[in-house]
Amino acid sequence: MSYHVDRRQVLKISLGAAAAVATGTAAAHPAAAAAGHDDFPEVPGMSGDRRANEFWYQMDETTLYNAAQEVKDAYAAIKAYVGNIERGMRDKWLELVAQPGYPHTYAEFMEPIRQPLEVLSRTQLGVMDRFYGRRHHQLVQAFGWFGEGVLYDPRGHAPFLVHTMNGTPTMPPPGYHTWYAYMRAMMLLGIDRRRWERLAPALSFAWALQSTGRPAQDKVNPPMPRPTVRRLAATWLVKDVRRLDQDFQSYPYPEGVS
């Protein structure tokens, strides 16, 4: 089985996504939150792109706060196997990626929880399809805004009112590594492999943005400088999973960021 992503295709995606993120001003201005998306109800106090806010809100609701029973059962099965659905997955990937035999060792370890991972893959991709369909560059843009921390949603669970990865200045967000560990398990087991291969660079882009900007999670954040966003997009969105396997071994921030 090949785990290599066609770099020409990734580069094509990258250039379009980088341009969209760099020029997308909806997240920068609260007044733009309701513009262009009249199919969503108004949320007083919301700031940032309306569709992206709704997407991340529904992702949280569907996968965490109001998850269906099959999703809860999937988490329970994963927890029973790795000990913790977040730290257990993350630590196992960080352990195996640094040892000989990877990625086969990681695939073999994850095989017993294939079915729960299929449930989570179907659930997460279902939310993405609901809001973005085939508009991959817009989904990448939503990941970018997530990393910048410019999606303020009063419906959130205090103190986390910004759609970004949870963490604090003294406790950096470990969630990017956790999600990457899930993505790699899904790829290696052939669970929606190509889709997760395309999404992994977007996740890394968000990781780089949040690591650089360090947005607050309880108030409206200003957008990051566009040249910085363009630079990070051009750096991270072109990477395939082989390169990301190396990059995500740097924890909790990308190499060179502290």
Side-chain angles (χ1 to χ4, degrees):
M1 180 181 296
S2 171
Y3 308 117
H4 181 69
V5 182
D6 188 326
R7 285 190 64 82
R8 290 174 298 178
Q9 179 64 17
V10 173
L11 180 60
K12 180 180 178 181
I13 295 168
S14 169
L15 294 176
V21 172
T23 59
T25 57
H29 304 288
H37 298 308
D38 57 3
D39 49 335
F40 301 124
E42 181 180 356
V43 177
M46 178 178 285
S47 180
D49 182 79
R50 184 65 184 86
R51 179 172 294 273
N53 264 301
E54 194 67 25
F55 162 62
W56 288 112
Y57 175 77
Q58 294 299 336
M59 181 68 82
D60 283 345
E61 290 294 300
T62 303
T63 63
L64 181 60
Y65 297 113
N66 287 295
Q69 189 59 50
E70 73 164 349
V71 174
K72 295 178 182 178
D73 291 343
Y75 284 137
I78 293 170
K79 180 179 179 180
Y81 185 65
V82 301
N84 183 286
I85 62 172
E86 296 181 357
R87 187 178 62 254
M89 288 288 292
R90 181 174 67 248
D91 289 352
K92 179 54 66 173
W93 180 81
L94 286 168
E95 172 193 341
L96 293 180
V97 71
Q99 297 180 2
Y102 180 88
H104 304 292
T105 51
Y106 191 59
E108 290 173 357
F109 181 84
M110 289 296 159
E111 178 62 39
I113 52 173
R114 171 187 292 273
Q115 191 276 332
L117 290 172
E118 289 175 344
V119 171
L120 297 186
S121 179
R122 181 172 66 251
T123 301
Q124 293 174 6
L125 292 176
V127 179
M128 296 180 195
D129 289 345
R130 175 181 170 190
F131 288 95
Y132 291 101
R134 297 181 179 275
R135 294 167 293 177
H136 182 74
H137 71 284
Q138 292 183 13
L139 179 58
V140 172
Q141 189 175 41
F143 270 84
W145 285 326
F146 180 87
E148 281 192 80
V150 291
L151 300 173
Y152 181 85
D153 191 341
R155 299 171 298 174
H157 297 261
F160 304 113
L161 300 180
V162 175
H163 292 301
T164 194
M165 200 65 79
N166 293 350
T168 69
T170 57
M171 186 183 73
Y176 289 107
H177 287 75
T178 301
W179 201 356
Y180 186 71
Y182 275 91
M183 286 186 179
R184 286 304 275 135
M186 293 166 183
M187 292 177 212
L188 293 169
L189 294 178
I191 302 170
D192 302 303
R193 177 174 63 87
R194 293 190 182 280
R195 295 197 64 183
W196 290 116
E197 283 176 343
R198 294 186 75 199
L199 286 164
L203 179 72
S204 72
F205 175 49
W207 176 44
L209 284 167
Q210 187 167 352
S211 298
T212 302
R214 313 286 174 90
Q217 298 184 333
D218 59 352
K219 63 182 180 181
V220 176
N221 293 292
M224 292 173 62
R226 295 301 91 182
T228 300
V229 174
R230 286 194 293 268
R231 174 177 59 82
L232 293 175
T235 299
W236 290 91
L237 291 176
V238 296
K239 297 189 178 188
D240 62 18
V241 292
R242 291 180 185 272
R243 179 58 188 274
L244 294 178
D245 275 349
Q246 300 175 26
D247 291 323
F248 271 101
Q249 291 182 61
S250 178
Y251 181 85
Y253 299 120
E255 186 176 356
V257 178
S258 60

